[in-house]
Amino acid sequence: MDSWRRPSVPDLPGRGPEPMISDPLSGELTVAAAGPAATMYACGITPYDATHIGHAATFVAWDLLVRAWRDAGHEVRYVQNVTDVDDPLLERATRDGEDWRELADREIALFRGDMEALRVIPPDSYVGAVEALPVIERLTERLARHGALYELDGDVYQARSADPSFGTVSGFDLATMTALFAERGGDPGRAGKKDPLDPLVWLAARPGEPSWPSAFGRGRPGWHVECSAIATEYLGDTFDVQAGGNDLTFPHHEMSASHARVAFGGPSGPAGPIFARRYVYAGMVRLGGEKMSKSLGNLVFVSRLLAAGTDPMVIRLAILAHHYRADWDWTDEGLTAARDRLARWRSALVAASAGDGSAQDVLGAVRERLADDLDAPGALAAVDRWADAVLADPGSAGGAALARDTVDALLGVAL
């Protein structure tokens, strides 16, 4: 599947520090990628509605990590999926009397356009579930060879008992996992399951729904095995970072990792690390105090903001004003503040003197802030200080070119 056009990224002098990210379980900072290559898998969209600000904030966050990695000298390999067949998509298509494939194609195209406008660096591999069906089937067959699967009325489940490490990604207790599984699309109460937390791997064909042939009969894959298969196919059975919204901690990331551990480690458990070494989670974006979500319908769409004439760099700055792990509210006041900030930065570029001057300090400060768990608000404050100094005394502070390139390369904001 095609992604979107890559933005031009300026080269910066020197190297940035090694990016550190916060471990979700311990809260401690850890190196995001220790080796020369940096690898990340990000859970992508289910394309049944346009890109809202919550989506945009999540993918802008991972864009910051990609940029910081590249600035630190890493070769980056970034993979993102598209869940282009799943219950929410099919339900929306049925509700609107639309072909599910046409709905998915339209919303994927909108997402691509929004990401390009926001200057998000595209993944190296952008993979849809439908095109990955052979990959998913191969991983499912590995699970079967390890004796981890069982059938229930034609559907195929993985037994939780096949994975001794189940629960280590989220750190949740059994009661919490069961409650979240029911809340987030799981089926813990289904009669006949060996364990309420057993994840669905293959859904047998249902009347009126799309299905494909496989070694497990006609049907379609479960959500969790989709990401497990795509991630390991394109990045190997172990990679650096798994990224997603914080609502994916359980069940999605837990169960995706479980599939991989069993498929590549066997029934006795893996001998070494399997799947993601580290996890990063983006906070939720609210509107009027309520989580912004498709189910609630309280969405602010990127495409509508753009159509109304909002500069995409204003949208990006409004997002970057909040730390990626924080929950926050989208407001008109926040958008206005971002518009004012962009205007101030652009005015400072015009007023700045020649030579690198104080922009060297900006480069160092932005690098330092992004290396500290992607502290975008701290990075914006460093640029603010430079811009304010220039505007207070035009010609006294220099480095317009370096300041512009710093903001562009590291923050993704074109001035």
Side-chain angles (χ1 to χ4, degrees):
M1 181 178 289
D2 293 332
S3 53
W4 53 91
R5 288 184 298 181
R6 180 185 177 87
S8 175
V9 179
D11 293 326
L12 296 173
R15 285 278 176 85
E18 200 61 57
M20 308 282 284
I21 55 175
S22 177
D23 178 80
L25 294 181
S26 70
E28 296 179 355
L29 287 179
T30 182
V31 174
T39 49
M40 177 168 65
Y41 180 83
C43 295
I45 62 167
T46 301
Y48 64 95
D49 215 338
T51 317
H52 60 71
I53 291 297
H55 290 139
T58 298
F59 295 112
V60 165
W62 314 150
D63 185 55
L64 289 182
L65 180 54
V66 169
R67 289 169 182 270
W69 266 339
R70 293 185 183 278
D71 185 52
H74 287 285
E75 177 186 347
V76 179
R77 178 72 179 161
Y78 173 27
V79 178
Q80 187 183 135
N81 77 306
V82 182
T83 303
D84 55 353
V85 61
D86 200 16
D87 287 343
L89 172 66
L90 301 178
E91 291 164 3
R92 179 62 57 88
T94 299
R95 187 200 73 179
D96 296 346
E98 185 173 9
D99 179 83
W100 67 274
R101 184 72 270 179
E102 292 179 359
L103 171 61
D105 288 346
R106 184 180 69 248
E107 299 305 332
I108 292 168
L110 265 176
F111 177 76
R112 290 190 188 105
D114 292 341
M115 293 297 100
E116 186 173 321
L118 294 175
R119 304 190 76 248
V120 171
I121 295 174
D124 300 287
S125 298
Y126 190 53
V127 187
V130 173
E131 67 180 306
L133 284 169
V135 173
I136 297 168
E137 184 174 3
R138 286 199 296 272
L139 186 132
T140 306
E141 289 173 335
R142 292 183 70 107
L143 294 172
R145 288 196 295 272
H146 288 307
L149 304 182
Y150 66 92
E151 185 177 320
L152 177 58
D153 299 330
D155 299 333
V156 179
Y157 285 86
Q158 176 185 305
R160 180 171 72 98
S161 59
D163 178 18
S165 298
F166 191 96
T168 56
V169 171
S170 65
F172 295 150
D173 60 29
L174 187 61
T176 301
M177 288 192 288
T178 303
L180 288 174
F181 195 33
E183 177 186 323
R184 295 173 176 173
D187 57 357
R190 182 176 181 180
K193 290 181 68 174
K194 294 182 178 181
D195 186 297
L197 293 177
D198 290 344
L200 178 70
V201 177
W202 188 257
L203 181 72
R206 267 52 169 177
E209 294 186 358
S211 62
W212 293 266
S214 80
F216 305 92
R218 287 197 68 88
R220 55 186 170 90
W223 177 31
H224 316 302
V225 74
E226 168 197 338
C227 283
S228 185
I230 293 171
T232 54
E233 175 74 12
Y234 287 87
L235 296 175
D237 59 19
T238 305
F239 53 94
D240 289 312
V241 170
Q242 163 82 307
N246 60 21
D247 57 340
L248 299 184
T249 307
F250 194 92
H252 187 51
H253 283 181
E254 189 77 66
M255 293 182 173
S256 296
S258 180
H259 290 320
R261 281 194 296 264
V262 175
F264 294 97
S268 61
I274 295 288
F275 214 57
R277 297 184 182 93
R278 299 161 193 87
Y279 290 81
V280 289
Y281 294 116
M284 297 292 105
V285 181
R286 300 178 297 250
L287 186 67
E290 292 281 349
K291 172 190 169 183
M292 199 178 291
S293 70
K294 294 174 181 178
S295 60
L296 294 175
N298 59 340
L299 303 177
V300 176
F301 294 111
V302 173
S303 55
R304 292 181 186 172
L305 289 170
L306 296 173
T310 304
D311 188 323
M313 296 301 93
V314 168
I315 301 171
R316 186 167 176 120
L317 279 174
I319 291 169
L320 293 177
H322 306 274
H323 193 277
Y324 79 93
R325 286 191 288 109
D327 295 340
W328 54 280
D329 285 274
W330 177 265
T331 64
D332 291 340
E333 292 78 13
L335 192 63
T336 298
R339 187 176 290 112
D340 293 344
R341 171 176 266 147
L342 183 64
R344 193 165 68 253
W345 288 5
R346 286 175 171 168
S347 296
L349 283 182
V350 174
S353 61
D356 288 347
S358 57
Q360 287 283 2
D361 295 335
V362 176
L363 173 59
V366 171
R367 279 174 162 165
E368 178 188 35
R369 288 297 82 224
L370 291 185
D372 185 4
D373 198 23
L374 306 179
D375 178 16
L380 299 191
V383 183
D384 283 341
R385 290 191 293 271
W386 174 84
D388 290 344
V390 169
L391 294 174
D393 187 7
S396 65
L402 182 56
R404 180 196 61 227
D405 289 350
T406 296
V407 170
D408 188 339
L410 298 179
L411 299 177
V413 177
L415 299 179

